[in-house]
Amino acid sequence: MPPAHPFDDDKLREECGVFGVVGLADAANFVALGLHALQHRGQEAGGIVSHAAGVGFNSARRFGYVRDNFTKASLMETLPGPLAIGHVRYSTAGSKGATQIRDVQPFFGEFSMGGAAIAHNGNITNADALRRELIDRGSIFQSSSDSECIIHLMARSLQRNIPERMKDALRRCEGAFSVVAMTRTKLIGVRDPLGVRPLVLGKVGDGWVLSSETCALDIIGAEFVREIEAGEMVVITEEDGVTSYFPFERQAARFCIFEHVYFSRPDSIIGGKSVYDTRRNIGVELAKEAPVDADLVCPVPDSGTPAAIGYSQESGIPYAMGIIRNQYMGRTFIEPTEQIRNMGVRLKLNVNRALIRDKRVILVDDSVVRGTTSRKIKEMILDAGAAEVHFRIASPPTAWPCFYGVDTPEREKLLAATMSEEEMRDHLGVDSLKFISLDGLYRAVGVAEGRAPGGKRYCDACFSGEYPVAPSDMLDKGFQLKTAAE
Ligand code: SF4
């Protein structure tokens, strides 16, 4: 299993990426490449299921990086056929930090009309209730994953084909789901009615591709066709191409705004916009909203880089690489001893001392979650002789947990849930701390008028506390929604 990243306890983490191919010889090889490009969405484990006529379904699920497993000819030879889907994961609800191989997707089910495999990105917010109901009615679960509910709900459907069973199953699910699935002949993609998590369609030669992000189309030379719409199901075959359905009641989309800030790769395109450009725009907005006199603008690598460039361009303050990231930090140095593990951030980042000394430095980061990393980075910059440290954050204060497929600490562990901006500044020990406003973030993603009252255009619940789908399992466990006074 890959090591804990030094920032692991202090970043929100996307929990999954999905990818599927139909109509290309040895589709699993393309899926492996796609998953490699989506590795930022989940580094704990990955899996691929393929189907070949005369051979049937085959699957491989492994802990670790895609490149360490799905590059071996001996493994890839076991995944033949022109149809394959795959999944990379961090850990989904139910087994954080204690993943078993049985929790690794894609999940597979054998039905009377044939087998089906599914890979799910997101989180089903009523999965606990569904699981209880299904177990009471005789379902035997193999994993602790919320996604397995989909297979059991499909098994209980009375519909005669798998896409119809999948529609039945997903109509019972609440929350966020971008699903890539396959039967013997069909590649299927579905997005939940709000389209919270991404899913795109691509084309390469005679083949079709479904992917969490466009960056994974690029790696296999596929052309981007379009996004799967919120609430849409596409069924794709080699013979008939793409057929589209809308099985859910239509609702206005509420895409995750944090995909723009942090989760997606900067070379992906979302909603027709380059993620890189959006992040640079966030830096521009931030410089307008929170100017400060300083000598250098430095990103916290790598995710703060485009916003730092934008901040520098807007403010006229020179951009500089004040912090250098060790690209090759890996498991070798993290695992052996507690002492080395405790070095944490220093293993990954180092300050460019000659540049920083006696300078007033603006550090641009994508988010502050618990604040532990921000404190350590500030100490490193001051140790290097900086005259002043100013934090500028490319997202609003993260004050609420995400229940839609992103790993977030409990609410009380989020710095912004318990402290005001001034208290956070004090706690981090920096000269100034400013976050982009929600309105500024909306402007940066292209909504010129800012955030409409009540949100509506995007999911921004981790900043606003306004959840577009009630997190019903969490409410049953006592989670308190925002009150009128907050
Ligand atoms: S709560 Fe935040 S991270 Fe989760 S889907 Fe909404 S915007 Fe994205």
Side-chain angles (χ1 to χ4, degrees), residues 196-197 256-258 263 402 404 406 459-462:
V196 175
R197 304 255 74 89
C256 166
I257 204 163
F258 222 139
F263 301 133
C402 174
Y404 307 134
V406 168
C459 175
D460 54 26
C462 48

Side-chain angles (χ1 to χ4, degrees), residues 321-324 349-354 356 377 380-382 384:
M321 298 289 284
I323 301 174
I324 306 297
L349 301 178
N350 196 25
V351 174
N352 189 347
R353 288 173 169 267
I356 293 295
I377 290 171
M380 288 165 62
I381 293 276
L382 285 179

Side-chain angles (χ1 to χ4, degrees), residues 174-347:
E174 297 168 6
F177 48 86
S178 281
V179 174
V180 169
M182 61 184 277
T183 68
R184 286 171 293 195
T185 55
K186 298 180 176 75
L187 176 67
I188 302 169
V190 193
R191 268 179 101 185
D192 64 78
L194 300 179
V196 175
R197 304 255 74 89
L199 190 63
V200 300
L201 176 69
K203 183 107 179 66
V204 53
D206 295 331
W208 293 93
V209 186
L210 290 168
S211 171
S212 292
E213 291 183 42
T214 62
C215 66
L217 301 180
D218 298 337
I219 197 172
I220 63 164
E223 107 196 42
F224 169 69
V225 176
R226 65 178 177 87
E227 294 189 3
I228 305 302
E229 288 184 44
E232 183 181 11
M233 170 188 265
V234 289
V235 178
I236 311 171
T237 62
E238 285 186 71
E239 298 74 33
D240 302 327
V242 180
T243 312
S244 168
Y245 305 90
F246 286 88
F248 313 104
E249 201 176 309
R250 292 301 286 266
Q251 297 180 43
R254 299 287 296 274
F255 183 65
C256 166
I257 204 163
F258 222 139
E259 291 277 354
H260 288 287
V261 176
Y262 176 62
F263 301 133
S264 293
R265 250 174 56 168
D267 50 338
S268 283
I269 308 285
I270 298 178
K273 290 184 213 68
S274 140
V275 173
Y276 175 89
D277 277 351
T278 299
R279 290 182 189 164
R280 198 193 61 81
N281 288 342
I282 292 174
V284 169
E285 287 289 336
L286 200 46
K288 288 182 189 160
E289 288 186 354
V292 60
D293 226 5
D295 304 308
L296 295 174
V297 179
C298 303
V300 175
D302 293 321
S303 46
T305 303
I309 291 170
Y311 195 102
S312 166
Q313 287 170 342
E314 177 64 23
S315 64
I317 300 170
Y319 170 90
M321 298 289 284
I323 301 174
I324 306 297
R325 179 170 174 215
N326 181 354
Q327 305 288 349
Y328 301 100
M329 193 57 243
R331 62 197 311 166
T332 327
F333 293 104
I334 292 183
E335 281 184 354
T337 68
E338 189 65 26
Q339 191 190 3
I340 287 180
R341 270 199 296 276
N342 285 342
M343 290 177 183
V345 172
R346 283 174 201 274
L347 294 174

